[in-house]
PDB file of all heavy atoms in Angstrom:
ATOM      1  N   VAL T 209       4.560  18.897 -13.199  1.00 45.00           N
ATOM      2  CA  VAL T 209       5.664  19.481 -13.945  1.00 45.00           C
ATOM      3  C   VAL T 209       5.381  19.603 -15.407  1.00 45.00           C
ATOM      4  O   VAL T 209       5.569  20.620 -16.089  1.00 45.00           O
ATOM      5  CB  VAL T 209       6.938  18.671 -13.806  1.00 45.00           C
ATOM      6  CG1 VAL T 209       8.076  19.132 -14.787  1.00 45.00           C
ATOM      7  CG2 VAL T 209       7.433  18.796 -12.348  1.00 45.00           C
ATOM      8  N   LEU T 210       4.701  18.486 -15.992  1.00 46.00           N
ATOM      9  CA  LEU T 210       4.295  18.526 -17.300  1.00 46.00           C
ATOM     10  C   LEU T 210       3.276  19.529 -17.612  1.00 46.00           C
ATOM     11  O   LEU T 210       3.373  20.305 -18.665  1.00 46.00           O
ATOM     12  CB  LEU T 210       3.806  17.077 -17.739  1.00 46.00           C
ATOM     13  CG  LEU T 210       3.418  16.899 -19.238  1.00 46.00           C
ATOM     14  CD1 LEU T 210       4.623  17.074 -20.109  1.00 46.00           C
ATOM     15  CD2 LEU T 210       2.799  15.498 -19.352  1.00 46.00           C
ATOM     16  N   LEU T 211       2.277  19.698 -16.651  1.00 46.00           N
ATOM     17  CA  LEU T 211       1.300  20.716 -16.857  1.00 46.00           C
ATOM     18  C   LEU T 211       1.811  22.119 -16.831  1.00 46.00           C
ATOM     19  O   LEU T 211       1.465  22.995 -17.576  1.00 46.00           O
ATOM     20  CB  LEU T 211       0.226  20.573 -15.736  1.00 46.00           C
ATOM     21  CG  LEU T 211      -0.884  21.612 -15.647  1.00 46.00           C
ATOM     22  CD1 LEU T 211      -1.724  21.491 -17.035  1.00 46.00           C
ATOM     23  CD2 LEU T 211      -1.785  21.323 -14.550  1.00 46.00           C
ATOM     24  N   LEU T 212       2.802  22.266 -15.912  1.00 45.00           N
ATOM     25  CA  LEU T 212       3.491  23.600 -15.827  1.00 45.00           C
ATOM     26  C   LEU T 212       4.198  23.956 -17.118  1.00 45.00           C
ATOM     27  O   LEU T 212       4.168  25.060 -17.579  1.00 45.00           O
ATOM     28  CB  LEU T 212       4.466  23.665 -14.651  1.00 45.00           C
ATOM     29  CG  LEU T 212       5.308  24.948 -14.421  1.00 45.00           C
ATOM     30  CD1 LEU T 212       4.358  26.138 -14.228  1.00 45.00           C
ATOM     31  CD2 LEU T 212       6.280  24.765 -13.314  1.00 45.00           C
ATOM     32  N   ALA T 213       4.905  22.955 -17.669  1.00 47.00           N
ATOM     33  CA  ALA T 213       5.711  23.131 -18.899  1.00 47.00           C
ATOM     34  C   ALA T 213       4.695  23.519 -20.055  1.00 47.00           C
ATOM     35  O   ALA T 213       4.965  24.477 -20.865  1.00 47.00           O
ATOM     36  CB  ALA T 213       6.501  21.928 -19.292  1.00 47.00           C
ATOM     37  N   CYS T 214       3.605  22.839 -20.127  1.00 48.00           N
ATOM     38  CA  CYS T 214       2.600  23.095 -21.159  1.00 48.00           C
ATOM     39  C   CYS T 214       1.991  24.449 -21.009  1.00 48.00           C
ATOM     40  O   CYS T 214       1.814  25.265 -21.973  1.00 48.00           O
ATOM     41  CB  CYS T 214       1.558  22.085 -21.165  1.00 48.00           C
ATOM     42  SG  CYS T 214       2.124  20.478 -21.650  1.00 48.00           S
ATOM     43  N   THR T 215       1.771  24.876 -19.758  1.00 45.00           N
ATOM     44  CA  THR T 215       1.224  26.189 -19.438  1.00 45.00           C
ATOM     45  C   THR T 215       2.141  27.292 -19.860  1.00 45.00           C
ATOM     46  O   THR T 215       1.795  28.260 -20.410  1.00 45.00           O
ATOM     47  CB  THR T 215       0.859  26.345 -17.920  1.00 45.00           C
ATOM     48  OG1 THR T 215      -0.076  25.273 -17.583  1.00 45.00           O
ATOM     49  CG2 THR T 215       0.233  27.616 -17.600  1.00 45.00           C
ATOM     50  N   LEU T 216       3.449  27.125 -19.474  1.00 48.00           N
ATOM     51  CA  LEU T 216       4.531  28.105 -19.761  1.00 48.00           C
ATOM     52  C   LEU T 216       4.597  28.264 -21.315  1.00 48.00           C
ATOM     53  O   LEU T 216       4.758  29.350 -21.875  1.00 48.00           O
ATOM     54  CB  LEU T 216       5.822  27.779 -19.183  1.00 48.00           C
ATOM     55  CG  LEU T 216       5.849  27.832 -17.587  1.00 48.00           C
ATOM     56  CD1 LEU T 216       7.227  27.352 -17.125  1.00 48.00           C
ATOM     57  CD2 LEU T 216       5.699  29.361 -17.212  1.00 48.00           C
ATOM     58  N   SER T 217       4.575  27.096 -22.013  1.00 49.00           N
ATOM     59  CA  SER T 217       4.695  27.124 -23.481  1.00 49.00           C
ATOM     60  C   SER T 217       3.520  27.878 -24.089  1.00 49.00           C
ATOM     61  O   SER T 217       3.735  28.707 -24.978  1.00 49.00           O
ATOM     62  CB  SER T 217       4.776  25.676 -24.055  1.00 49.00           C
ATOM     63  OG  SER T 217       4.805  25.686 -25.391  1.00 49.00           O
ATOM     64  N   ALA T 218       2.302  27.562 -23.627  1.00 50.00           N
ATOM     65  CA  ALA T 218       1.137  28.198 -24.129  1.00 50.00           C
ATOM     66  C   ALA T 218       1.211  29.792 -23.833  1.00 50.00           C
ATOM     67  O   ALA T 218       0.843  30.590 -24.654  1.00 50.00           O
ATOM     68  CB  ALA T 218      -0.128  27.627 -23.552  1.00 50.00           C
ATOM     69  N   PHE T 219       1.754  30.120 -22.649  1.00 47.00           N
ATOM     70  CA  PHE T 219       1.842  31.544 -22.259  1.00 47.00           C
ATOM     71  C   PHE T 219       2.837  32.254 -23.200  1.00 47.00           C
ATOM     72  O   PHE T 219       2.548  33.356 -23.589  1.00 47.00           O
ATOM     73  CB  PHE T 219       2.240  31.639 -20.771  1.00 47.00           C
ATOM     74  CG  PHE T 219       2.493  33.019 -20.318  1.00 47.00           C
ATOM     75  CD1 PHE T 219       1.415  33.935 -20.083  1.00 47.00           C
ATOM     76  CD2 PHE T 219       3.750  33.557 -20.238  1.00 47.00           C
ATOM     77  CE1 PHE T 219       1.621  35.175 -19.658  1.00 47.00           C
ATOM     78  CE2 PHE T 219       3.952  34.934 -19.874  1.00 47.00           C
ATOM     79  CZ  PHE T 219       2.929  35.724 -19.594  1.00 47.00           C
ATOM     80  N   ALA T 220       3.948  31.544 -23.357  1.00 50.00           N
ATOM     81  CA  ALA T 220       4.986  32.134 -24.288  1.00 50.00           C
ATOM     82  C   ALA T 220       4.458  32.431 -25.655  1.00 50.00           C
ATOM     83  O   ALA T 220       4.690  33.458 -26.277  1.00 50.00           O
ATOM     84  CB  ALA T 220       6.150  31.184 -24.349  1.00 50.00           C
ATOM     85  N   GLN T 221       3.655  31.467 -26.168  1.00 57.00           N
ATOM     86  CA  GLN T 221       3.037  31.648 -27.501  1.00 57.00           C
ATOM     87  C   GLN T 221       2.021  32.774 -27.511  1.00 57.00           C
ATOM     88  O   GLN T 221       1.988  33.645 -28.397  1.00 57.00           O
ATOM     89  CB  GLN T 221       2.417  30.377 -27.948  1.00 57.00           C
ATOM     90  CG  GLN T 221       1.896  30.485 -29.405  1.00 57.00           C
ATOM     91  CD  GLN T 221       1.232  29.214 -29.887  1.00 57.00           C
ATOM     92  OE1 GLN T 221       0.846  28.319 -29.049  1.00 57.00           O
ATOM     93  NE2 GLN T 221       1.232  29.028 -31.209  1.00 57.00           N
ATOM     94  N   ALA T 222       1.165  32.833 -26.440  1.00 66.00           N
ATOM     95  CA  ALA T 222       0.115  33.826 -26.348  1.00 66.00           C
ATOM     96  C   ALA T 222       0.642  35.243 -26.250  1.00 66.00           C
ATOM     97  O   ALA T 222       0.197  36.219 -26.771  1.00 66.00           O
ATOM     98  CB  ALA T 222      -0.794  33.509 -25.204  1.00 66.00           C
ATOM     99  N   GLY T 223       1.792  35.313 -25.448  1.00 89.00           N
ATOM    100  CA  GLY T 223       2.305  36.694 -25.241  1.00 89.00           C
ATOM    101  C   GLY T 223       3.355  37.091 -26.239  1.00 89.00           C
ATOM    102  O   GLY T 223       3.940  38.174 -26.118  1.00 89.00           O
ATOM    103  N   TYR T 224       3.657  36.317 -27.196  1.00 97.00           N
ATOM    104  CA  TYR T 224       4.792  36.581 -28.113  1.00 97.00           C
ATOM    105  C   TYR T 224       4.205  37.141 -29.435  1.00 97.00           C
ATOM    106  O   TYR T 224       3.262  36.634 -29.959  1.00 97.00           O
ATOM    107  CB  TYR T 224       5.461  35.242 -28.384  1.00 97.00           C
ATOM    108  CG  TYR T 224       6.562  35.399 -29.462  1.00 97.00           C
ATOM    109  CD1 TYR T 224       7.808  35.912 -29.278  1.00 97.00           C
ATOM    110  CD2 TYR T 224       6.252  35.031 -30.789  1.00 97.00           C
ATOM    111  CE1 TYR T 224       8.792  36.115 -30.212  1.00 97.00           C
ATOM    112  CE2 TYR T 224       7.246  35.200 -31.755  1.00 97.00           C
ATOM    113  CZ  TYR T 224       8.476  35.692 -31.457  1.00 97.00           C
ATOM    114  OH  TYR T 224       9.421  35.860 -32.437  1.00 97.00           O
ATOM    115  N   PRO T 225       4.934  38.132 -29.991  1.00 97.00           N
ATOM    116  CA  PRO T 225       6.020  38.867 -29.377  1.00 97.00           C
ATOM    117  C   PRO T 225       5.491  40.139 -28.593  1.00 97.00           C
ATOM    118  O   PRO T 225       4.451  40.659 -28.925  1.00 97.00           O
ATOM    119  CB  PRO T 225       6.867  39.295 -30.602  1.00 97.00           C
ATOM    120  CG  PRO T 225       5.739  39.462 -31.609  1.00 97.00           C
ATOM    121  CD  PRO T 225       4.751  38.430 -31.419  1.00 97.00           C
ATOM    122  N   ASP T 226       6.147  40.510 -27.602  1.00 96.00           N
ATOM    123  CA  ASP T 226       5.683  41.600 -26.787  1.00 96.00           C
ATOM    124  C   ASP T 226       6.679  42.862 -26.923  1.00 96.00           C
ATOM    125  O   ASP T 226       6.502  43.816 -26.213  1.00 96.00           O
ATOM    126  CB  ASP T 226       5.603  41.258 -25.319  1.00 96.00           C
ATOM    127  CG  ASP T 226       6.861  40.759 -24.657  1.00 96.00           C
ATOM    128  OD1 ASP T 226       7.925  40.851 -25.310  1.00 96.00           O
ATOM    129  OD2 ASP T 226       6.805  40.162 -23.545  1.00 96.00           O
ATOM    130  N   ARG T 227       7.556  42.801 -27.935  1.00 97.00           N
ATOM    131  CA  ARG T 227       8.453  43.924 -28.137  1.00 97.00           C
ATOM    132  C   ARG T 227       9.150  43.659 -29.505  1.00 97.00           C
ATOM    133  O   ARG T 227       8.894  42.637 -30.062  1.00 97.00           O
ATOM    134  CB  ARG T 227       9.537  44.002 -27.040  1.00 97.00           C
ATOM    135  CG  ARG T 227      10.441  42.774 -26.797  1.00 97.00           C
ATOM    136  CD  ARG T 227      11.380  42.962 -25.674  1.00 97.00           C
ATOM    137  NE  ARG T 227      12.230  41.857 -25.510  1.00 97.00           N
ATOM    138  CZ  ARG T 227      11.936  40.753 -24.908  1.00 97.00           C
ATOM    139  NH1 ARG T 227      10.692  40.561 -24.485  1.00 97.00           N
ATOM    140  NH2 ARG T 227      12.851  39.797 -24.833  1.00 97.00           N
TER     141      ARG T 227
END
Side-chain angles (χ1 to χ4, degrees):
V209 171
L210 184 62
L211 178 61
L212 177 61
C214 293
T215 301
L216 290 174
S217 178
F219 177 78
Q221 184 179 24
Y224 174 80
D226 59 10
R227 60 185 182 278

